[in-house]
Amino acid sequence: MSFHGHPVEVRPAGAREYLFNDRTVEGYRHSLTAGIDRVAARIARTERPFSGTTPDRLAPEISAIDLEKPLNDPAAALTELEDVYLRDAVYFHHPRYLAHLNCPVVIPALLGEAVLSAVNSSLDTWDQSAGGTLIERRLIDWTAERIGLGPDADGVFTSGGSQSNLQALLLAREEACARAAAGTPTPPTRAEILPKLRILASEAGHFSVQKSAKLLGLGPDAVIPVATDRDRRMRPAVLARELDRCRREGLPVMAVVATAGTTDFGSIDPLPQIADLCVAAGAWMHVDAAYGCGLLASRTRRHLLDGIERADSVTVDYHKSFFQPVSSSALLVRDAAALRHATYHADYLNPARMAEQRIPNQVDKSLQTTRRFDALKLWLTLRVMGADAIGELFDEVVDRAGQAWELLTEDPRFEVVTRSQLSTVVFRYLPQDGPGRELADEANLFAREALAASGAAVVAGTKVDGRHYLKFTLLNPETTLADIAHVLDLLAGHAERYLSEQAAPELCRQAG
Ligand SMILES: Cc1ncc(COP(=O)(O)O)c(C=O)c1O
C-alpha cells in the first residue's frame, strides 16, 4: 500500500487496540475493572499473609511461561497471573504480616496510582507534566512546613529512602568539597579531598548510608558508626568525641546522619543535641526520617521529632508511614540552593533559559530524569482523608507496639529488647533455663522460617549484639493484640519443637 507515493506499513489490527487513547477507553475500563475485581476478590479471601511457597516451587511455574506466545486476552493473562503472582504474593494488608517496613495502603492513594499511571505524566519538565509539577511542589512545601524547615526550603520526590539519603549525601559532599577548597591559595583536588571525607551515623542507622558513601566515591572508612545508648539512640557524647577526633586528624565531616526511626528499633536520635553539635562543627545535618516521618501527621506525637526543623536535609518515606503504595518518598532541604548540585542542563530538555523564564521544572532538582507522578497519591490522600487521619492510623500502630512490648515483658518465654518510640518490637524466644538457652539462636531462626513456611504470619529477623532476634514491624492498625499473642504462641511452638527435636532427634523422627 502507498500514500502519496510513500509506502505505508500495515500493522496487525490487534496491536493498536492495546494503545490507550480516545478510541480504546472501553477496553481500558474493562481491563482495569477486571484487574481490580481480581485483586479485590483475592484480598477478600486472603486468610494468610503468605502462601509459604518457596523459590524452588515457584520458579519453574514462572519459567514455564512462554513469553513469545502472548495470550491476546487480558482475562486469560489475569488468570495466569493468579498462579504466578497473586496466589503467592506477600500481602501487607493482612493483620499478621508483621515483618518489614511495608504498610497497608489507603484507597485514595490507590486511586491516585491508577490515575497517575494512566495519564503517565513525567515529572521532569513542565512540558511533560504541567499541573503535576505544581502539585508535587505544593506537597514538598507542605512537608517542609510540617518539618519546619523555613522559607527557603525545597525538595523533590524520589523513588525511596535510599535514593533520598543518597541525594542528601551528594549535596552534603558537594558543599564539603566547596568548603575544603574555599579560602586556600592552592585548593586541594577532589581526588585529595574525597578519601578524607567522613560521615557520622548511628550504628543503628540504615545501610543506604554506607551504599551512598561508596557511590559517592568516598573511602572505605568514610562512614563512622556512632555508638548508641540502651534505647538504641545515638549518644551525643560519642558524636562529640568523634567530631573532635575528625577535626584533630584533619578529616572533614561531610555530614552527620541522624535517624528519626531506626529500622530495627524505631529509635529516634536526640535531634536537638545533634543539631547543636553539627552547628558547632559546621557539619551538614541530615535526618533520615524514612520511618519516623509519619509523626509529622500525628496530633499526639509530633514532639518526638523536635529538632528535625534544624536539619539541612530530611528523608521522608510516605511509603512507610503515610500508608502510600511504593514508591513514594521525598528529600527535603533547608536551603533550596543546595539542590543546584543535582542540576545539569540539556538543550533538548531543560535549557538554562527555562529557569530564566521561570518555567517550573523538577528535573533540575532530581537525580532521575523521567519520573513517576508519585506525589498524586499523597495529594489524593490529603484531599480525601486529610493528614490527621493518616496521623491517627500511625498513632494506632505506635500504641499497639507499646502494648505488644508490655505483653512480651510479661511473657516468660521471651526476652524483649528496648521499647520502641515507633512501632517495632525486637524480641527472641529464650527458655528460662536448660540447654535450650544455648540453642536460642538456632531456635529463633527456625521459628521464623517455620512460621513463614506455614504462611500463618510473617515476622522479620535481625541480630542484636551478635544474637539472632525476631522482629515485629507494626504498620497495620488492623493488627490486634490478639493477633500478636497468637503469633507469639506460634513462634514459641516452632521454637519448642526445634529444641525438642535437638534434644531427642530419634524419638521425634519416630513420632513423625
Ligand atoms: C531508616 C531507613 N532509612 C532508609 C530506608 C530505605 O528506604 P527505601 O527502602 O525506601 O529505599 C529504610 C528502609 O527500610 C529505613 O528504614
Side-chain angles (χ1 to χ4, degrees), residues 101 160-163 165 206 208 259 261 263 288 290-291 317 319-320:
L101 274 164
S162 304
Q163 194 192 354
N165 284 346
H206 193 256
S208 54
T259 312
T263 318
D288 178 355
Y291 176 15
D317 264 6
H319 65 210
K320 289 188 177 32

Side-chain angles (χ1 to χ4, degrees), residues 127 178 246 419:
D127 69 354
C246 289
R419 185 176 183 142

Side-chain angles (χ1 to χ4, degrees), residues 316-327:
V316 294
D317 264 6
Y318 309 105
H319 65 210
K320 289 188 177 32
S321 47
F322 272 71
F323 303 93
Q324 300 292 295
V326 177
S327 54

Side-chain angles (χ1 to χ4, degrees), residues 217-234:
L218 309 186
D221 305 325
V223 181
I224 301 177
V226 181
T228 54
D229 61 16
R230 263 193 353 197
D231 295 327
R232 312 283 160 175
R233 305 167 76 218
M234 187 192 281

